[in-house]
Amino acid sequence: MRNDLRETPEYQAVADYLLRLHEPAFGRPHALTEPHATADGSAVVVTGAVYDKLEGLPRTALYRVRDGELRPLAGSPGSARWARFSPDGKRLAFLSDRATARVFQLYLLDVGKDGGEAVAGPEVPGTLEFAHWSPDGTRILLCVAGLGADLAGGQGSGTNVTAAPEADNWLPRVESGATDAAWRSLWLYTVDSGELVKLSPEGLNCWESGWCGPDRVVSVTSPDPGEDSWYSAVLTLVDVPTGETRELYRSPAQLGLPAATPDGGRVAIVRAVCSDRWLVAGDLAVIDVETGASTEIDTHGTDVTFLSWLDAGRLGYLGRRHLDSVAGIVDAAGTARELFSVGHAVGGPWYPDGAFTADGRVITVQHAYHLPHQVTWSGPGTEEVLASVAHEGTKRLLAVAGTAAPVSWEAPDGLEIEGILCTPPGEGPFPLVVNIHGGPIWSFLNSWQINYPWVPLLVSRGYAVLNPNPRGSSGRGQEFARHVVHDMGGADADDLLAGLDALVDRGIADPARIGLTGGSYGGFMSSWLVTRSTRFAASVPVAPVTDWYSQTFTSNIAGWGTTFLGADPEEPGNPVHRRSPVMHASRVVTPTLVVAGAKDRCTPPGQAEEFHRALLAHGTESGLVIYPLEGHGVRAQPALTDFLTRLTGWLHRHMPA
């Protein structure tokens, strides 16, 4: 297997496919996230992902939504994101790395001056992840991550530390526990005076935070900055004048999305069993700040993923329910009223988010397999498209990407399992690729490219792609999500095998041409299923766990793994060993291409190498690809083009369309 494919016809074909998609939008946004609006909805801003050419990762830029167009805002070198209007709507705070690549600092822009220059805020000791205006608009809460803090798996894993100069690339990697650069802290910036002070005390790591009235802050915190510590984080109240802290709420599940009323009387929080930081989807609770009493809110089966108080009595939320995206408002009595429920994606690449206006409307980014990203304004019985990223490249993709439709089947125990099936034109049976999502607690929706560029690419080559949501996926409530805890690779694997049987019986899938792929937990499952069945013609696991024992002593989320397995690695014969694909490599006959990133701290590349070596030792065809600059998944160009070339080539070789 060659390490450089750039001169091959296969690589050139994939590169041309991607160029045809993105070139018409060079210099303009091709995807949208982080919508925000003034309280009256008169001004809307979004973050756009922009390719100037197919090289590296896309930069991010800010766009004002006006007169049906996306107009650039605060243009500058580098990237900008997280634009937030002040409470009076006159100023815009945003984050940009224009001074130093990947190190985001605060900037302020006068909204009333179109084309005006943004003014830099004070430099913070690290990179900013969030910024929140105080309710009175006089101060900004800054969430600062040190240049050495862990990145979540959804961010690509690794750390956010800047690269060493090339002349110093011989220096060793050194670890000695948590360093000062690993912590996340809170700082306060007073806009008029320019004063910057640190708020959070030493020894308190602040993952997510927001204002709780004018003189308090609420934060999801832990006493350690390591990624594994997030899973046991608690909700903490921080007093601004004194810096004193008080634990407000804790849960055996994970906590996220803290949001408080403007007067600071109540805090809303989402409680959910989670497999990844930032991927929080679950039950909604509202806590009385003074008494600590919590009230559970019935959101009619919706796993909540976004919260925003409209005022002291109304709480806006978005979330997932089965294969739908849902938006609603909880009134002062605690009753949830839905604004909409749609069968496609709302928000960014992971979970629904948006922005609520004071009159009860919500602004979101909506998209589907057949619909490029568009900014939409929704209210009771109304919907208006404000702007779209559609262009000639998206038209070309839609012409070859086939169709997407919901599909369901029955698991061996009778549980209904859902997913999204993408098919090329014509009648089946098709060669089928099962695209397994990560997490395991996440889920597929009908979304643009189903969130992964290989899905429409495979369909354009004549493959059907099943994107399943087995038990453990979000959108079906906490009981459904907890099914995977202490049973990873058990009943959820049976769900996937049952789905294949159903699609074969329905004449959609060719039983002789079924393949697997997926990243993270999908990489584990793509490695695990080939030890369970010999029916697969090919498999391409990405960023997999293949040996839960060695994962425990090399990953930065080892505690999560042993908790979800319910196992102690020192006890022989427990799930750490029984559910490790590498321990069952002798059963595998499926040709397997294992892919990893060298900078991955969640599922280190040794996991891919172990499985590859084990397969070779048992005479099974295997390939190993490790990208030196990638982390958890393959994201940047030209590595992404190379990966797509190897994925389609491996499948074509072993199960041609």
Side-chain angles (χ1 to χ4, degrees):
M1 187 167 59
R2 296 171 56 175
N3 76 318
D4 189 347
L5 303 179
R6 286 174 292 180
E7 300 303 320
T8 65
E10 294 83 2
Y11 184 97
Q12 293 300 322
V14 173
D16 182 66
Y17 167 90
L18 294 174
L19 187 63
R20 285 174 173 269
L21 168 59
H22 289 291
E23 188 176 38
F26 278 174
R28 297 189 289 122
H30 65 268
L32 303 174
T33 57
E34 300 178 339
H36 197 253
T38 53
D40 61 3
S42 61
V44 178
V45 65
V46 294
T47 300
V50 181
Y51 275 120
D52 297 306
K53 55 183 176 179
L54 284 182
E55 182 177 294
L57 292 168
R59 62 181 173 89
T60 57
L62 301 179
Y63 292 86
R64 181 84 175 260
V65 182
R66 179 179 288 177
D67 300 327
E69 297 180 353
L70 296 166
R71 300 185 179 183
L73 187 67
S76 71
S79 286
R81 59 173 294 268
W82 193 260
R84 291 295 182 268
F85 290 103
S86 59
D88 62 8
K90 295 181 179 180
R91 288 176 170 175
L92 190 73
F94 66 94
L95 313 180
S96 176
D97 69 347
R98 61 177 66 179
T100 303
R102 297 173 57 196
V103 178
F104 286 83
Q105 300 288 339
L106 176 68
Y107 289 82
L108 294 172
L109 184 68
D110 189 329
V111 175
K113 297 179 181 178
D114 284 345
E117 280 295 319
V119 177
E123 184 176 350
V124 298
T127 182
L128 287 172
E129 294 186 325
F130 306 102
H132 300 286
W133 288 94
S134 62
D136 61 7
T138 62
R139 291 171 292 181
I140 301 177
L141 176 66
L142 305 176
C143 302
V144 181
L147 298 182
D150 280 343
L151 297 175
Q155 296 174 284
S157 186
T159 65
N160 60 12
V161 66
T162 54
E166 188 173 341
D168 296 331
N169 60 10
W170 62 270
L171 289 168
R173 189 184 86 181
V174 175
E175 290 190 12
S176 58
T179 65
D180 290 344
W183 291 81
R184 286 174 163 86
S185 56
L186 301 180
W187 296 68
L188 285 180
Y189 171 54
T190 302
V191 177
D192 289 341
S193 69
E195 180 185 24
L196 177 70
V197 295
K198 185 179 180 184
L199 174 62
S200 55
E202 296 298 321
L204 190 72
N205 193 73
C206 302
W207 300 98
E208 286 183 275
S209 307
W211 286 93
C212 184
D215 292 312
R216 291 185 293 197
V217 166
V218 65
S219 183
V220 176
T221 70
S222 64
D224 182 271
E227 192 71 13
D228 233 353
S229 297
W230 175 80
Y231 295 92
S232 57
V234 302
L235 188 64
T236 299
L237 198 66
V238 184
D239 185 74
V240 170
T242 66
E244 294 179 355
T245 63
R246 170 167 66 94
E247 182 180 310
L248 185 61
Y249 187 78
R250 70 166 55 228
S251 167
Q254 284 70 55
L255 300 175
L257 311 171
T261 54
D263 63 5
R266 293 185 293 167
V267 175
I269 192 76
V270 173
R271 182 186 65 244
V273 55
C274 301
S275 46
D276 296 86
R277 180 166 62 91
W278 284 13
L279 295 185
V280 178
D283 296 334
L284 172 59
V286 176
I287 305 157
D288 184 285
V289 172
E290 298 308 320
T291 67
S294 64
T295 302
E296 305 297 314
I297 305 297
D298 181 5
T299 56
H300 311 295
T302 299
D303 280 347
V304 176
T305 63
F306 174 85
L307 294 173
S308 176
W309 289 93
L310 283 68
D311 51 41
R314 294 178 299 160
L315 173 64
Y317 69 91
L318 291 103
R320 285 187 174 179
R321 184 173 60 221
H322 289 267
L323 297 176
D324 293 341
S325 298
V326 179
I329 294 176
V330 180
D331 64 21
T335 301
R337 172 179 57 88
E338 288 190 7
L339 296 176
F340 66 70
S341 175
V342 294
H344 56 253
V346 169
W350 306 117
Y351 280 147
D353 67 354
F356 286 83
T357 57
D359 61 0
R361 292 175 292 175
V362 59
I363 295 167
T364 58
V365 174
Q366 300 196 13
H367 53 104
Y369 195 68
H370 66 280
L371 180 69
H373 286 213
Q374 61 182 29
V375 183
T376 305
W377 200 347
S378 305
T382 64
E383 184 168 288
E384 179 185 357
V385 176
L386 302 180
S388 170
V389 302
H391 53 80
E392 287 302 313
T394 59
K395 291 180 183 178
R396 292 170 183 163
L397 181 69
L398 292 173
V400 300
T403 59
V407 64
S408 64
W409 62 92
E410 191 174 281
D413 62 359
L415 190 63
E416 183 186 35
I417 305 301
E418 302 168 333
I420 301 292
L421 178 65
C422 301
T423 53
E427 298 293 325
F430 303 105
L432 177 75
V433 178
V434 186
N435 180 41
I436 308 169
H437 68 65
I441 302 177
W442 185 64
S443 60
F444 287 115
L445 284 183
N446 184 348
S447 59
W448 182 246
Q449 299 193 86
I450 312 295
N451 207 51
Y452 294 108
W454 54 82
V455 174
L457 174 60
L458 289 171
V459 175
S460 74
R461 300 287 183 91
Y463 294 91
V465 181
L466 173 64
N467 308 281
N469 291 332
R471 68 192 68 201
S473 301
S474 55
R476 299 278 297 271
Q478 292 304 287
E479 181 180 355
F480 189 85
R482 281 192 293 267
H483 278 314
V484 78
V485 179
H486 296 179
D487 193 35
M488 293 193 295
D492 59 340
D494 295 334
D495 295 342
L496 300 177
L497 295 173
L500 298 181
D501 292 338
L503 294 186
V504 169
D505 291 344
R506 297 171 193 177
I508 296 171
D510 179 351
R513 293 182 295 167
I514 297 177
L516 300 166
T517 193
S520 192
Y521 190 79
F524 158 71
M525 194 62 81
S526 300
S527 306
W528 177 243
L529 285 174
V530 296
T531 74
R532 290 274 310 267
S533 173
T534 59
R535 70 190 302 172
F536 300 106
S539 184
V540 185
V542 182
V545 175
T546 68
D547 181 351
W548 289 106
Y549 183 85
S550 60
Q551 168 81 358
T552 301
F553 301 107
T554 55
S555 169
N556 68 341
I557 53 170
W560 165 81
T562 55
T563 298
F564 263 53
L565 282 170
D568 183 344
E570 293 190 1
E571 296 178 0
N574 68 30
V576 169
H577 309 282
R578 296 198 309 270
R579 296 286 170 90
S580 290
V582 74
M583 300 297 181
H584 308 283
S586 61
R587 304 176 186 173
V588 181
V589 299
T590 302
T592 302
L593 177 67
V594 199
V595 179
K599 295 186 175 182
D600 193 344
R601 287 165 58 87
C602 293
T603 57
Q607 294 293 307
E609 189 162 4
E610 281 190 49
F611 198 49
H612 169 66
R613 301 293 178 199
L615 294 179
L616 292 181
H618 291 287
T620 300
E621 182 180 357
S622 178
L624 175 68
V625 180
I626 297 179
Y627 292 96
L629 301 181
E630 296 296 312
H632 198 57
V634 184
R635 302 163 188 263
Q637 294 287 4
L640 179 58
T641 299
D642 182 272
F643 165 66
L644 295 175
T645 303
R646 294 180 190 277
L647 169 69
T648 55
W650 192 263
L651 295 172
H652 178 74
R653 176 179 172 185
H654 297 289
M655 44 178 289

